[in-house]
């Protein structure tokens, strides 16, 4: 049941309440006082929201309509930046790369997180608090540190990879090659965020009322049947939320490749992900306006995909 | 239903954060600040301002800056210099860009690499120091450093140091494998083959394709002039004779896997300089101080030689080096001008700079007996400055950097760097680099000819 359908239903029920100011003039005063009080309560939020979200957004849109050149200065160019972006191979390469990353890494990560949450929740695991903390711990490691750590481990000269390859006698693991670098990044991101998603799933599992399990047990359901019939349906909301967070995270992919770039500069280009592209354009290339354009397009893309996922999830719900 | 509303908000917020995150820090705003040429001052007025005092800010990543500022404040007790360590050129330039764009917190004096000066000078973001009579200081500095700060009819900074290139080599490794110091690039490549064949863990040089600064200097040394700037007209020709000469010499090093690919300036890199993994380094004359502090394990093993040549004729290039400049938006220009002149021309300041391994840009210091006869313990007692200073004499004239060199360097790995990665043709990589630079320059309003 989505908000949209609920609104439609309200409309269909045919209960329009058109304001008829002439008739209700007498009762207007108290009504507006109530309204004012309401505004008073939400104003602090609205101010913060406007400053933190709307202002930067509006400013970005404003910036994206200009072009500031080293020669020629600043001028209004309308939607030219957008037209340029739509035919910019570098931008779309980056966008496709994060799209591919999303399609592969997110399901893998969420599946691992789901299995971990179900295992910890099953009550059949010894030392479940230990596992819960251990799986969550990587999330507490600052992202930059995590990437540097993995960056060293991936190194063939001094890292774990080098030792493993020495041990098996040939180059089995080659994370620092064109074919594997994206997988290597996916591995880091998965390691970082499995615990976070596991915790979302686990807390959702803890809210399932005990009666459901009792009922299931009475009906003779085994553990796997309980998982399928009770736990997974109860997790639907959490899975949708985790998926949307992960989509946003994937489209914002920046830290991991950008730090690995210092170790393998030729493997990861300056336009490897759209965020890296925007960053390099604005901070090194002084093309703030075009960077704003790219950020806005990516923002819209992210919103659209997140919305489609949410819409699909709610339709299946109905 | 509530959950769904949450989702919709998430979707909206997603858009906001993706956009906001990238842009929060980089407000654009046009900066058409004047060239600063209008408000000049005489030496007396500057001296009077220094005596009267005030406060100013100075951004730099020079290690000696703290000592220099302390000495300056002792000489002019009324002036308070707030020193900001910007850690390195990249952060330094980005912070300056942001401050200028924000119109707030712009430093009064800031260090800029020679190659970054045009990028700030062209949009009118630097003060023309000829208004303070600093054109008269020309004779104090070497021609190449003065050339780097004086362009487009103005004086945009005073040189701090210079970096004529030299060949730094690990004598212990060379002796161990019976390798002679290469005088030509041909011998250099041959030495690379011999070394790597004898010990596959050792490399004649370390270059993983991420170091545009060294490559442009090597092209310069080969006689290339790929970038020519004439006001708003920029010529880019990364296929000229000199550039091609470098590419032909360098290609075998890549094809035969004779180069190490350790990330430059990393701990691993310093360790490799210390233990002989990297046997030579062609870089600027400012390197000895870095060796001493960064690779103590290599003490006694390293020596300095002139750059290898292509045909026996000495030829050299500059690598790195910085000047200090006064941004057009600086608030205390008189103090800034006074401090700048003291910093880069007073005996007291330059001496402090030299004391911890700096390589000067001032002619008198380069030619002083004390400087030339200095025997470096790290370099086994070698009089390194004799070699380094001699290298300054044969720097090829006529080199220019692009007005957007830092951006050009950032995309070097995307283009030329791919030749290193795929062991493919450097010439093709250079052509791609050229194409991207032509596109960028055109976008920025320059007239580009190829």
């Amino acid at each position: 049941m989505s908000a949209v359908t609920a609104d439609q239903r309200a409309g269909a029920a045919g209960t329009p309440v058109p304001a008829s100011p002439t008739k209700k003039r007498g009762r207007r005063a108290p009504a507006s006082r109530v309204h004012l009080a309401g505004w008073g309560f939400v104003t602090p939020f609205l101010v913060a929201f406007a400053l933190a979200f709307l202002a930067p957004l509006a400013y970005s849109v404003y910036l994206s309509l200009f072009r500031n050149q080293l020669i020629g200065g600043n001028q209004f160019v309308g939607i030219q930046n957008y037209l340029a972006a739509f035919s910019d191979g570098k931008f779309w390469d980056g966008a496709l790369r994060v799209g591919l990353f999303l399609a592969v890494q997110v399901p893998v990560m969420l599946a691992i997180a789901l299995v971990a949450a179900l295992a910890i929740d099953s009550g059949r695991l010894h030392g479940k608090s230990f596992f819960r903390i251990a799986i969550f711990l990587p999330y507490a490691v600052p992202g930059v540190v995590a990437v540097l750590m993995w960056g060293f481990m991936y190194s063939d000269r001094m890292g774990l990879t080098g030792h493993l390859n020495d041990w098996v006698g040939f180059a089995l693991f080659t994370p620092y090659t064109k074919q594997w670098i994206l997988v290597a990044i996916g591995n880091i991101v998965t390691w970082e965020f499995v615990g976070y998603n596991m915790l979302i799933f686990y807390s959702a599992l803890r809210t399932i009322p005990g009666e459901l399990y009792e009922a299931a047990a009475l009906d003779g359901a085994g553990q796997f049947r309980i998982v399928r019939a009770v736990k997974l349906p109860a997790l639907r909301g959490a899975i949708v939320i985790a998926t949307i967070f992960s989509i946003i995270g994937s489209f914002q992919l920046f830290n991991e490749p950008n730090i690995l770039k210092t170790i393998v500069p030729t493997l990861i280009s300056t336009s490897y992900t759209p965020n890296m592209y925007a960053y390099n354009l604005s901070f090194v290339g002084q093309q703030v306006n075009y960077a704003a354009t790219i950020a806005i397009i990516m923002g819209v893309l992210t919103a659209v995909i997140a919305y489609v996922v949410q819409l699909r999830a709610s339709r299946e719900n109905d | 239903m509530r959950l769904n509303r949450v989702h919709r908000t998430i979707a909206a917020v997603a858009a906001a954060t993706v956009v906001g995150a990238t842009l929060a820090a980089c407000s654009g705003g046009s900066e058409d600040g004047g060239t600063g040429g209008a408000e000049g001052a005489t030496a007396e007025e500057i001296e009077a301002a220094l005596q009267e005092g005030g406060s100013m800010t100075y951004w730099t990543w020079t290690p000696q800056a703290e000592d220099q500022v302390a000495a300056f404040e002792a000489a002019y007790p009324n002036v308070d210099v707030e020193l900001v360590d910007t850690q390195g050129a990249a952060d330094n330039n980005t912070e300056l860009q942001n401050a200028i764009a924000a119109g707030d917190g712009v430093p009064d004096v800031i260090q800029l690499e020679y190659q970054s000066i045009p990028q700030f000078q062209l949009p009118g973001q630097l003060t023309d120091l000829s208004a303070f009579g600093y054109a008269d200081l020309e004779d104090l500095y070497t021609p190449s450093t003065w050339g780097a700060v004086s362009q487009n009819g103005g004086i945009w900074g005073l040189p701090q140091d210079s970096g004529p290139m030299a060949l730094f080599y690990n004598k212990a490794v060379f002796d161990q494998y019976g390798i002679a110091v290469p005088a030509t690039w041909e011998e250099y490549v041959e030495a690379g083959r011999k070394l790597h064949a004898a010990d596959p863990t050792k490399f004649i040089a370390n270059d993983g394709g991420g170091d545009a600064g060294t490559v442009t200097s090597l092209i310069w040394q080969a006689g290339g002039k790929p970038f020519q700037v004439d006001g708003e007209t920029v010529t880019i020709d990364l296929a000229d004779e000199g550039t091609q000469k470098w590419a032909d010499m360098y290609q075998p090093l890549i094809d035969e896997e004779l180069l190490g690919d350790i990330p430059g300036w990393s701990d691993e890199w310093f360790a490799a300089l210390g233990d002989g993994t990297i046997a030579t380094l062609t870089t600027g004359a400012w390197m000895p101080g870095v060796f001493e502090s960064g690779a103590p394990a290599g003490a006694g093993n390293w020596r300095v030689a002139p750059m290898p040549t292509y045909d026996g004729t000495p030829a050299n290039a500059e690598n790195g080096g910085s000047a200090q400049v006064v941004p057009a938006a600086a608030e205390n220009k008189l103090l800034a001008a006074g401090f700048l002149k003291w910093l880069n021309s007073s005996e007291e300041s330059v001496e402090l700079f030299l004391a911890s391994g700096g390589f000067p840009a001032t002619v008198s210091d380069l030619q002083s007996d004390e400087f030339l006869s200095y025997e470096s313990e790290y370099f086994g007692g070698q009089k390194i400055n004799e070699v380094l200073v001699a290298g300054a004499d044969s720097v090829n004239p006529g080199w220019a950097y692009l007005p957007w060199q830092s951006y050009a360097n950032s995309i070097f790995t995307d283009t030329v760097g791919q030749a290193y990665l795929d062991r493919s043709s450097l010439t093709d990589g250079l052509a791609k680099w050229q194409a991207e630079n032509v596109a960028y320059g055109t976008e920025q309003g320059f007239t580009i000819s190829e």
Side-chain angles (χ1 to χ4, degrees):
Chain A
M1 224 210 302
S2 76
V4 177
T5 52
D7 290 346
Q8 283 164 345
R9 228 165 281 158
T15 46
V17 210
S20 40
T22 40
K23 269 186 190 172
K24 295 183 176 171
R25 185 166 288 164
R27 286 158 62 186
R28 220 174 121 191
S32 67
R33 203 178 308 137
V34 170
H35 277 284
L36 278 179
W39 281 111
F41 282 115
V42 296
T43 301
F45 165 76
L46 286 179
V47 168
F49 184 74
L51 284 178
F53 289 113
L54 299 183
L57 201 60
Y59 187 52
S60 303
V61 173
Y62 170 79
L63 280 180
S64 72
L65 301 177
F66 289 83
R67 177 174 297 158
N68 194 3
Q69 298 173 302
L70 275 169
I71 305 294
N74 204 18
Q75 70 213 42
F76 181 81
V77 294
I79 60 163
Q80 266 187 41
N81 286 330
Y82 290 90
L83 296 178
F86 280 114
S87 56
D88 184 346
K90 283 181 168 184
F91 168 59
W92 288 111
D93 277 354
L96 280 178
R97 189 171 288 115
V98 290
L100 175 69
F101 183 86
L102 166 73
V104 177
Q105 187 265 339
V106 170
V108 169
M109 172 179 69
L110 293 185
I112 297 174
L114 187 62
V115 169
L118 288 169
I120 291 170
D121 185 61
S122 70
R124 304 191 160 201
L125 202 62
H126 289 290
K128 79 173 189 185
S129 325
F130 167 77
F131 281 107
R132 205 172 56 202
I133 290 288
I135 295 173
F136 184 71
L137 209 56
Y139 182 69
V141 177
V144 175
V145 177
V147 182
L148 285 175
M149 191 184 82
W150 278 100
F152 285 127
M153 285 204 276
Y154 284 158
S155 166
D156 201 26
R157 283 185 301 271
M158 53 198 289
L160 182 69
T161 313
H163 290 302
L164 281 173
N165 288 343
D166 284 348
W167 186 62
V168 297
F170 65 100
L172 178 65
F173 295 104
T174 50
Y176 287 156
T177 52
K178 264 187 177 171
Q179 299 91 316
W180 292 105
I181 185 72
L182 192 60
V183 177
I185 294 171
N187 181 47
I188 299 176
V189 176
T190 306
W191 180 84
E192 284 175 305
F193 290 100
V194 154
Y196 171 77
N197 290 300
M198 178 272 291
L199 216 59
I200 294 183
F201 296 154
Y202 180 70
S203 30
L205 286 171
R206 300 305 292 167
T207 62
I208 298 175
E211 297 86 40
L212 283 180
Y213 293 134
E214 283 168 24
L218 280 178
D219 288 343
Q223 277 298 325
F224 285 101
R225 187 66 202 263
I226 290 179
V227 166
R228 210 149 39 93
V230 179
K231 293 187 177 183
L232 283 183
L235 274 175
R236 172 179 291 279
I239 291 174
V240 172
I241 284 207
T243 308
I244 289 173
F245 281 166
S246 303
I247 290 171
I248 297 170
S250 297
F251 278 124
Q252 292 192 351
L253 193 62
F254 177 77
N255 258 349
E256 292 80 7
N258 204 46
I259 293 167
L260 283 183
K261 183 169 172 56
T262 60
I263 302 174
V264 284
T266 51
L267 270 177
I268 296 171
S269 68
T270 51
S271 53
Y272 198 71
T273 73
N275 259 13
M276 282 181 70
Y277 189 36
Y279 175 84
N280 196 54
L281 282 174
S282 73
F283 284 96
V284 186
Q286 304 191 71
Q287 290 183 320
V288 179
N289 307 93
Y290 189 54
T293 311
I294 284 175
I296 287 164
I297 296 176
M298 278 316 285
V300 171
L301 264 181
T302 310
V304 166
I305 294 181
Y307 188 68
V308 166
V309 167
Q310 180 256 314
L311 215 58
R312 269 205 60 172
S314 57
R315 193 169 301 150
E316 281 166 20
N317 219 0
D318 282 339
Chain B
M1 206 174 89
R2 228 190 63 215
L3 198 61
N4 286 322
R5 205 166 295 145
V6 170
H7 286 173
R8 266 211 284 185
T9 316
I10 289 170
V13 170
T17 35
V18 170
V19 174
T22 331
L23 290 161
C26 55
S27 58
S30 72
E31 180 56 54
D32 3 66
T35 53
E39 70 266 83
T42 63
E44 290 77 30
E45 285 170 320
I46 293 172
E47 186 62 28
L50 288 177
Q51 293 302 340
E52 194 192 318
S55 63
M56 55 166 287
T57 49
Y58 169 39
W59 291 9
T60 182
W61 66 94
T62 303
Q64 296 91 336
E66 215 166 299
D67 293 342
Q68 289 175 309
V69 166
F72 176 77
E73 287 180 335
Y76 296 96
N78 293 333
V79 184
D80 177 32
V81 180
E82 192 198 328
L83 177 68
V84 178
D85 181 1
T86 51
Q87 310 284 335
D91 286 354
N92 185 78
N93 293 1
T94 306
E95 296 277 318
L96 178 61
Q97 268 175 35
N98 288 347
I100 289 173
D104 189 35
V106 178
D108 296 299
V109 176
I110 182 170
Q111 177 178 0
L112 281 185
E113 286 179 303
Y114 293 122
Q115 59 171 14
S116 303
I117 290 177
Q119 151 187 354
F120 291 97
Q121 188 268 315
L122 277 168
Q125 294 168 346
L126 301 183
T127 303
D128 183 356
L129 301 171
S130 47
F132 302 109
Y134 287 3
D136 298 344
L137 302 177
E138 174 170 3
D139 293 342
L140 292 181
Y141 302 99
T142 62
S144 63
T145 56
W146 189 256
V149 296
S150 56
Q151 43 195 287
N152 295 330
I155 311 296
W156 309 103
L158 293 183
Q160 168 186 271
D161 58 358
S162 61
M165 291 184 97
L167 174 70
F168 296 83
Y169 67 98
N170 191 318
K171 186 169 186 292
V173 173
F174 272 35
D175 287 350
Q176 188 184 347
Y177 298 104
I179 297 169
V181 181
T184 66
W185 282 112
E186 213 177 338
E187 290 170 19
Y188 184 86
V189 175
E190 201 44 56
R193 292 190 179 111
K194 193 169 170 186
L195 174 66
H196 197 59
D199 182 349
T201 66
K202 290 195 165 52
F203 297 94
I204 188 74
N206 183 73
D207 182 4
D211 187 359
T214 299
V215 167
T216 44
S217 286
L218 288 175
I219 290 173
W220 180 351
Q221 195 250 345
K225 290 177 190 171
F227 314 127
Q228 291 300 312
V229 184
D230 179 15
E232 299 177 3
T233 306
V234 178
T235 309
I236 306 177
D237 181 7
L238 279 160
D240 75 350
E241 200 188 328
T243 309
Q244 199 52 52
K245 207 152 90 179
W246 167 78
D248 290 343
M249 178 276 288
Y250 216 71
Q251 189 77 48
L253 294 175
I254 292 173
D255 291 345
E256 298 168 35
E257 307 189 26
L258 303 177
L259 299 173
D261 63 349
I262 299 166
W265 300 90
S266 62
D267 290 345
E268 196 187 353
W269 185 73
F270 280 114
L273 288 179
D275 69 14
T277 302
I278 303 173
T280 77
L281 193 63
T282 47
T283 192
W286 38 263
M287 190 65 198
V290 181
F291 263 117
E292 284 180 40
S293 60
N301 293 340
W302 286 85
R303 297 289 184 277
V304 183
M307 285 292 280
T309 64
Y310 287 86
D311 52 11
T313 324
N316 206 356
E318 297 266 346
N319 180 253
S322 313
Q324 270 75 9
V325 305
V326 179
E331 278 173 20
N332 308 298
K333 285 197 185 166
L334 283 185
L335 287 183
F339 172 71
L340 175 59
K341 186 175 172 186
W342 180 91
L343 185 72
N344 284 351
S345 70
S346 79
E347 207 169 299
E348 192 182 3
S349 172
V350 175
E351 227 160 68
L352 284 170
F353 182 70
L354 297 183
S356 2
F359 195 82
T362 36
V363 178
S364 61
D365 294 289
L366 283 167
Q367 288 167 356
S368 81
D369 286 340
E370 193 191 341
F371 184 68
L372 288 172
S373 61
Y374 163 71
E375 293 175 7
S376 166
E377 211 175 298
Y378 186 93
F379 289 87
Q382 189 187 7
K383 289 180 181 172
I384 55 172
N385 290 336
E386 281 185 350
V387 183
L388 297 172
V389 170
D393 293 338
S394 51
V395 171
N396 288 331
W399 173 269
Y401 283 108
L402 288 168
W404 59 87
Q405 194 67 40
S406 48
Y407 178 75
N409 287 357
S410 80
I411 56 171
F412 176 86
T413 50
D414 300 355
T415 52
V416 184
Q418 297 305 302
Y420 289 71
L421 183 63
D422 302 334
R423 311 207 177 287
S424 57
S425 155
L426 276 173
T427 307
D428 293 352
L430 287 164
K432 275 185 214 136
W433 196 30
Q434 168 153 346
E436 295 223 354
N437 275 308
V438 168
Y440 181 86
T442 311
E443 187 102 326
Q444 289 293 339
F446 290 93
T447 308
I448 309 282
S449 62
E450 294 185 58

